[in-house]
Amino acid sequence: MRVSVATFGCKVNQCDSEEFELLLSRQGVEVVGLEDGLDFVIVNGCAVTERANSEVRRFVGRMLREFPGARPVLAGCTARLDSQTVPGGEKTLVLRRKEDLLDCLGLAAGDRISPRQIDSHRRTRVFVKVQEGCSERCSFCVVPSVRGNSKSVEISDAVDRVAEKVREGAKEVVIVGTDLGDYGRGNLVTTNLSELLQRIWDLPGEFRVRLGSIESRHLDRELVRLFASSKKLCRHFHVPVQSGDDAVLRMMGRKCLSAEVAARIRELCGAVPDASIGTDVIVGFPGEGEESFLRTVDFLISLPFSYFHVFPFSRRPGTPAFSMKTGIPDGEMRRRASVLRSIGEGKRKSFAGKFSGQRLQVLSIGDSLTDIGLTDNYIRVKLSRKVRQNRFFNVLMEDSGGTPAAKIL
């Protein structure tokens, strides 16, 4: 059997796809890219926005035309929320529970054949999911309805998963979750993210740990102290703010208003110098007038963010915001998104530029031979020569005027 896995959306989906590939490989299934002779294509889809769902629909339609012998297997949030909108009719299988993958493909769990290793380049940066679901109820978000309430992996199991990835050769482990900072507060697990990171930090080996997205309310002093004191923990935080206007934040059902978010971000930067801090922002949310938008602009400019992910508001079925009227034309939403993306690009360049002439460590990422490196504080650099992937190098950052560049020392 030959299977391909296509992934859309967040790091949690990427982690799930890696688990699919590993499970299938251990069953003797050949996991390949999109090519002729496929039996199935697992489409791990995202339904957080209508645009993401449209990308999944277009991909499945193209796949059906180009690879008519393969059956699509719809997985992820799209399978739970929007499967009826995806083309293919009865040919498209729907996998609503990850645990049912083998049954869905007609494989018996006992039919284990010689395991096949996932390609070595995939061991450079790996994802370990320690939490899933969300118990919050932001008015725009479908995640609770498609992934359920917050659930955490037992701390010993989580640490074992990381240790296994490190033994397999991973140099960077990305800890991910739907609401990562809620780790240890869901189901019967009683711990917290700081304790988990401390246990991971104590593992032997040459590797580093990066966090996935984390809400500002979870940036407590214990967690910040850990990052300030360990070189194994990457100085990189992705902290969604969604808006800088308090009236909009209240309508979104967000837990933290702008002043508290700003205080947490500034405290984090003070404790962890040169940290990269990214964020998510929604433009055009119902009630966001021009003054609200300008307050968001001022808020984002005033804080030391190093990049933005900007999303025009997307009305999603089953959310409170679905029935809210925006009154904002699509063209205006695109304009606002363009304004914020331009500001975010300026911040990205400014952040990378301040390290010109400094020595940093990078991890070589990409194919077996690569000239791309990634710093712990999330600067993607072009290296002065090609090197083997999955290696740490000390570099001298250079002012290239465009893509950050670095000379290998």
Side-chain angles (χ1 to χ4, degrees):
M1 181 183 291
R2 304 177 81 240
V3 177
S4 181
V5 181
T7 309
F8 297 80
C10 66
K11 290 182 174 64
V12 172
N13 265 14
Q14 293 176 49
C15 184
D16 289 341
S17 290
E18 287 185 359
E19 292 178 2
F20 287 155
E21 291 177 338
L22 186 59
L23 175 63
L24 292 172
S25 293
R26 287 174 173 169
Q27 297 298 124
V29 173
E30 188 178 1
V31 181
V32 296
L34 280 176
E35 55 189 55
D36 291 334
L38 287 168
D39 296 293
F40 298 96
V41 177
I42 300 172
V43 184
N44 200 1
C46 174
V48 170
T49 66
E50 174 54 32
R51 179 177 179 180
N53 196 43
S54 296
E55 289 177 355
V56 173
R57 290 197 297 266
R58 287 195 297 271
F59 175 83
V60 173
R62 179 172 66 85
M63 194 218 83
L64 289 167
R65 292 191 301 273
E66 297 181 3
F67 306 98
R71 295 193 70 177
V73 180
L74 197 61
C77 292
T78 308
R80 301 181 186 102
L81 185 71
D82 286 312
S83 60
Q84 71 279 1
T85 71
V86 176
E90 293 183 356
K91 184 175 182 178
T92 300
L93 303 174
V94 180
L95 179 68
R96 290 191 170 85
R97 293 187 342 125
K98 299 188 294 291
E99 298 83 357
D100 297 334
L101 176 62
L102 297 183
D103 287 340
C104 185
L105 302 186
L107 293 168
D111 295 344
R112 185 183 177 103
I113 311 175
S114 59
R116 168 185 172 272
Q117 289 289 331
I118 300 296
D119 293 341
S120 62
H121 74 272
R122 300 191 184 186
R123 295 201 303 267
T124 301
R125 301 180 70 226
V126 298
F127 301 98
V128 173
K129 183 174 63 177
V130 301
Q131 183 276 339
E132 185 168 7
C134 183
S135 298
E136 304 299 332
R137 293 295 183 268
C138 295
S139 63
F140 56 83
C141 187
V142 298
V143 166
S145 63
V146 295
R147 291 196 179 265
N149 288 328
S150 180
K151 303 172 289 293
S152 298
V153 174
E154 288 286 351
I155 190 167
S156 58
D157 292 338
V159 174
D160 286 347
R161 290 182 189 181
V162 174
E164 179 182 16
K165 299 295 186 183
V166 172
R167 286 195 299 270
E168 290 174 351
K171 297 296 186 184
E172 178 172 307
V173 179
V174 186
I175 306 298
V176 302
T178 316
D179 186 11
L180 181 58
D182 200 50
Y183 175 76
R185 298 179 176 89
N187 52 346
L188 300 178
V189 180
T190 54
T191 181
N192 58 43
L193 185 59
S194 294
E195 182 179 353
L196 172 63
L197 292 176
Q198 181 68 65
R199 293 271 299 271
I200 293 172
W201 173 4
D202 291 337
L203 289 172
E206 185 188 30
F207 69 99
R208 66 190 188 189
V209 179
R210 192 180 301 277
L211 285 188
S213 180
I214 185 168
E215 294 287 346
S216 61
R217 69 182 184 278
H218 292 136
L219 292 171
D220 56 45
R221 290 181 178 176
E222 182 182 10
L223 186 65
V224 172
R225 179 188 59 79
L226 275 180
F227 277 85
S229 59
S230 172
K231 291 186 178 180
K232 266 189 178 177
L233 303 180
C234 292
R235 299 169 298 169
H236 171 216
F237 304 86
H238 189 85
V239 186
V241 300
Q242 310 303 1
S243 174
D245 180 76
D246 287 346
V248 172
L249 288 169
R250 290 188 182 97
M251 288 186 288
M252 288 179 169
R254 300 288 290 169
K255 294 295 184 183
C256 294
L257 298 183
S258 59
E260 183 179 352
V261 173
R264 295 287 181 103
I265 295 296
R266 291 191 175 105
E267 183 178 353
L268 176 61
C269 281
V272 189
D274 296 332
S276 170
I277 303 177
T279 193
D280 294 336
V281 191
I282 296 173
V283 296
F285 189 83
E288 184 192 68
E290 181 65 14
E291 290 185 359
S292 297
F293 173 67
L294 291 176
R295 276 191 283 271
T296 294
V297 170
D298 291 342
F299 175 80
L300 294 172
I301 289 175
S302 71
L303 291 172
F305 291 113
S306 53
Y307 64 91
F308 304 158
H309 292 164
V310 182
F311 305 91
F313 169 66
S314 181
R315 188 179 283 107
R316 304 306 290 137
T319 65
F322 182 76
S323 58
M324 297 179 184
K325 294 183 179 180
T326 66
I328 303 172
D330 289 345
E332 174 61 13
M333 277 208 255
R334 289 194 293 270
R335 183 193 72 83
R336 293 181 185 182
S338 177
V339 168
L340 293 189
R341 286 174 181 141
S342 178
I343 295 170
E345 180 63 13
K347 281 185 170 278
R348 183 192 66 80
K349 290 180 179 178
S350 176
F351 179 76
K354 77 177 188 176
F355 295 98
S356 178
Q358 294 188 28
R359 297 188 178 201
L360 297 177
Q361 186 184 72
V362 302
L363 176 65
S364 55
I365 60 175
D367 296 327
S368 55
L369 283 177
T370 180
D371 61 356
I372 301 299
L374 187 68
T375 68
D376 79 295
N377 58 351
Y378 211 55
I379 303 173
R380 188 181 178 93
V381 302
K382 184 174 179 59
L383 301 172
S384 55
R385 58 184 170 85
K386 287 200 171 186
V387 295
R388 293 187 65 185
Q389 57 89 28
N390 203 27
R391 300 288 190 275
F392 286 115
F393 293 93
N394 293 320
V395 301
L396 179 66
M397 298 291 287
E398 299 176 332
D399 185 3
S400 63
T403 301
K407 180 180 180 181
I408 297 176
L409 299 176

